[in-house]
Amino acid sequence: MLILGLESSCDETAAALVAGDGCVVAHRLAGQEAAHAPYGGVVPEIAARAHADALEPLIRAALADAGVTLRDIDAVAATAGPGLIGGVMVGLVTGKALAHAAGKPLLAVNHLEGHALSPRLAYRMEGRDLPFPYLLLLVSGGHCQLLVVDGVGRYRRLATTIDDAAGEAFDKTAKLLGLGFPGGPAVERAAAEGDARAVPLPRPLVGSGEPHFSFAGLKSAVARAAGHYPPADLAASFQRAVIDCLVDRTRLALDRAGPVGALVVAGGVAANAGVRAALEELAAARGLAFAAPPGWLCTDNAAMIAWAGAERLAAGLTDPLDVPARPRWPLDPAAEPVRGAGVKA
Ligand code: KG4
Ligand code: ZN
């Protein structure tokens, strides 16, 4: 079984071919950093146009890398949301056209499901299985959630952020410290040179009875401290505060998750070595397996979309060609919005 995956929900255009056994046969990606850098963040209209320009050549390149044609694939998986709607529509319409032309099933994949199932692909790449259920910490530029993954399409949200996402906090801190965009990797590099105890910063919601997240206050504290401390010390102290929040909230969620076999972290912030190490320690203390995809599979990519498509196809969950693109699309439709956090659902 061979799945073509397409991703275009934010500022990464990507196409990949993934086999049902977890072999990533080809993956191509084009970032848009240079196009958005002058604005200090992603501009939706620029992103949509860049996706429209980049996607077809990437698909051709991925097919050529694999030495196959559209006739050889078994299904087309495209991100159908959540994300910037212009970009999502570019990828989804392209996926629909290819599926229709090739007479193959379409899989309209929730981008968050791509992240959520990516650790299973990472395990499969190593010849291992990551069984359900597991607790997932999903930390990206747009999302910060704790979910129990009971199976394909079966997600129970235990917590979300009441303001910023963790990756957003990294991006805003990088901007404040003049470290550039995207911020996560820049903050991590600067933090490696700094003292994490140098700047006293808050740990919002740590110790609170619900495992939700909040990062807006931390960002404001960094803004107040900026200029009074070396940037490297600020970066290190900020990163330490985020890690403390993530670990504390995840610990509480583990208490409430019911039986799970593993602690899993996914999304762009999971590429951070300090975040991974702290969560691995928590998993070990609880006697749980730990899974985090390799860096290239943590940040946005099409291999995770193709893999989620493969898992959905195996479960018989294909989609009609009139399936809509969705700017918002919670993984757990039953989850209640929390105070001020509707937009993060
Ligand atoms: O999953 P992703 O590529 O896109 C979204 O779906 O949002 O995540 C991007 C986010 C950005 O906020 C970026 O700054 C953050 O992940 N990120 C990191 C690191 N690499 C990427 N944050 C901390 N440390 C990193 N090494
Ligand atoms: Zn993402």
Side-chain angles (χ1 to χ4, degrees), residues 74-103:
D74 295 286
V76 181
T79 298
L84 301 174
I85 194 65
V88 172
M89 285 173 69
V90 168
L92 182 58
V93 166
T94 304
K96 286 177 178 181
L98 293 177
H100 182 64

Side-chain angles (χ1 to χ4, degrees), residues 184-199:
V187 170
E188 183 172 19
R189 274 195 303 276
E193 311 293 324
D195 177 0
R197 290 155 308 175
V199 189

Side-chain angles (χ1 to χ4, degrees), residues 245-267:
C245 293
L246 295 179
V247 168
D248 177 77
R249 314 289 58 215
T250 305
R251 189 182 292 122
L252 182 60
L254 279 173
D255 293 340
R256 299 184 170 196
V260 290
L263 171 61
V264 167
V265 60

Side-chain angles (χ1 to χ4, degrees), residues 119-120 122-123 126 128-131 133-139 146 246-247 250 254 260-267 269-294 298:
R120 282 169 55 84
Y123 262 47
E126 296 171 0
R128 297 190 287 166
D129 274 320
L130 177 64
Y134 51 79
L135 181 74
L136 167 73
L137 171 63
L138 176 53
V139 270
L146 283 155
L246 295 179
V247 168
T250 305
L254 279 173
V260 290
L263 171 61
V264 167
V265 60
V269 180
N272 186 287
V275 169
R276 297 163 83 98
L279 291 166
E280 186 163 15
E281 205 172 292
L282 173 61
R286 295 291 180 111
L288 297 171
F290 175 73
C298 286

Side-chain angles (χ1 to χ4, degrees), residues 7 9 111 115 140-141 267-268 298-300 304:
E7 161 61 31
S9 64
H111 178 85
H115 282 302
S140 71
C298 286
T299 47
D300 287 348
M304 70 180 189

Side-chain angles (χ1 to χ4, degrees), residues 50-144:
H51 288 305
D53 288 341
L55 190 54
E56 191 190 325
L58 288 172
I59 295 168
R60 288 186 190 281
L63 290 169
D65 290 346
V68 300
T69 70
L70 271 186
R71 269 188 293 280
D72 302 311
I73 62 165
D74 295 286
V76 181
T79 298
L84 301 174
I85 194 65
V88 172
M89 285 173 69
V90 168
L92 182 58
V93 166
T94 304
K96 286 177 178 181
L98 293 177
H100 182 64
K104 310 289 180 180
L106 173 74
L107 300 142
V109 172
N110 184 314
H111 178 85
L112 303 177
E113 184 168 45
H115 282 302
L117 299 176
S118 64
R120 282 169 55 84
L121 171 57
Y123 262 47
R124 214 33 100 67
M125 284 159 52
E126 296 171 0
R128 297 190 287 166
D129 274 320
L130 177 64
F132 302 116
Y134 51 79
L135 181 74
L136 167 73
L137 171 63
L138 176 53
V139 270
S140 71
H143 300 274
C144 191

